[in-house]
Amino acid sequence: MADDKRIDTPRETGDDGRQRPSGAVRRWISDHPNVWEFILFNVLSNISTITRFVVAWIGTAVFVSALGLTEPFSFLLFNYTSEGSNGIGGFLTFLAAEVLAQVVNFVVQMKWVFKSDSAFADAAWKYAILAVIIVVVNLVLPGYVTALCVAWGMNSGVAATVASVVNTLLAVVVSYPLLKFWIMPKHDAQSEDK
């Protein structure tokens, strides 16, 4: 008999006669699914951030330290020519870290946050466009925001922090609605009841 035990979410009947989960947190999630989804979006995005850090550490160890790929490199918006930028090795590290972080984020957002039933191929190309736009903005915008903050009298540390906050907020404000309604929408109305 012990093998037949199932853990069911305890439920109670609400004022409207519908079954609701019991427990304050489960009830709150049930009553506020969109807010919960937004919280998940922000919290689970950190999985890609962790991926980015780990790949950056590994990439630096491999491309810069082990292989010595430190020749200056410049291409379009990417400028790895200054001392300390690690040259081509720094670029390869950035590229590998960003690509893997975006792949991880795509899967996490599609499967865990939005629980989308969109076709993988349909969502992937849209997500790739969004990712490229966000990466380009994240490369270009901080320089302008930092310069503006310094012109307003902030020290460079505070200015860099403000630039980072602006980048993060802009990415959230742009990506969340695009992911929810364009890239990873739920097409099956019943999928929300699951």
Side-chain angles (χ1 to χ4, degrees), residues 75-95:
F75 177 72
L76 298 174
L77 299 171
F78 305 101
N79 184 8
Y80 289 82
T81 58
S82 63
E83 191 173 329
S85 68
N86 294 328
I88 187 78
F91 172 73
L92 292 173
T93 295
F94 161 78
L95 190 61

Side-chain angles (χ1 to χ4, degrees), residues 5-187:
K5 287 185 179 178
R6 283 184 20 206
I7 300 175
D8 287 328
T9 303
R11 302 190 87 61
E12 56 188 38
T13 304
D15 295 337
D16 58 2
R18 293 180 18 200
Q19 291 289 312
R20 295 169 25 118
S22 65
V25 173
R26 285 192 176 117
R27 244 188 340 269
W28 186 89
I29 291 169
S30 177
D31 291 344
H32 303 92
N34 291 326
V35 175
W36 178 245
E37 182 181 75
F38 186 70
I39 290 168
L40 281 177
F41 168 79
N42 284 287
V43 170
L44 294 180
S45 290
N46 289 309
I47 295 172
S48 69
T49 302
I50 292 166
T51 302
R52 187 176 290 110
F53 280 129
V54 170
V55 174
W57 296 328
I58 293 169
T60 301
V62 171
F63 296 127
V64 177
S65 300
L67 299 176
L69 299 175
T70 57
E71 301 85 31
F73 173 79
S74 181
F75 177 72
L76 298 174
L77 299 171
F78 305 101
N79 184 8
Y80 289 82
T81 58
S82 63
E83 191 173 329
S85 68
N86 294 328
I88 187 78
F91 172 73
L92 292 173
T93 295
F94 161 78
L95 190 61
E98 195 58 41
V99 167
L100 287 173
Q102 293 301 331
V103 167
V104 166
N105 196 49
F106 174 78
V107 172
V108 166
Q109 299 300 335
M110 187 165 189
K111 299 299 178 188
W112 294 351
V113 175
F114 297 104
K115 297 176 179 74
S116 177
D117 57 358
S118 294
F120 177 85
D122 186 45
W125 72 266
K126 294 174 186 176
Y127 184 83
I129 291 170
L130 174 65
V132 167
I133 290 169
I134 288 174
V135 168
V136 168
V137 169
N138 284 342
L139 288 171
V140 174
L141 188 61
Y144 293 105
V145 173
T146 302
L148 180 64
C149 290
V150 168
W152 286 347
M154 296 179 197
N155 69 41
S156 61
V158 172
T161 301
V162 169
S164 182
V165 168
V166 168
N167 257 6
T168 302
L169 290 175
L170 185 61
V172 169
V173 166
V174 170
S175 64
Y176 180 78
L178 286 176
L179 286 169
K180 182 175 178 80
F181 300 111
W182 181 55
I183 299 171
M184 302 175 180
K186 291 179 186 171
H187 298 292

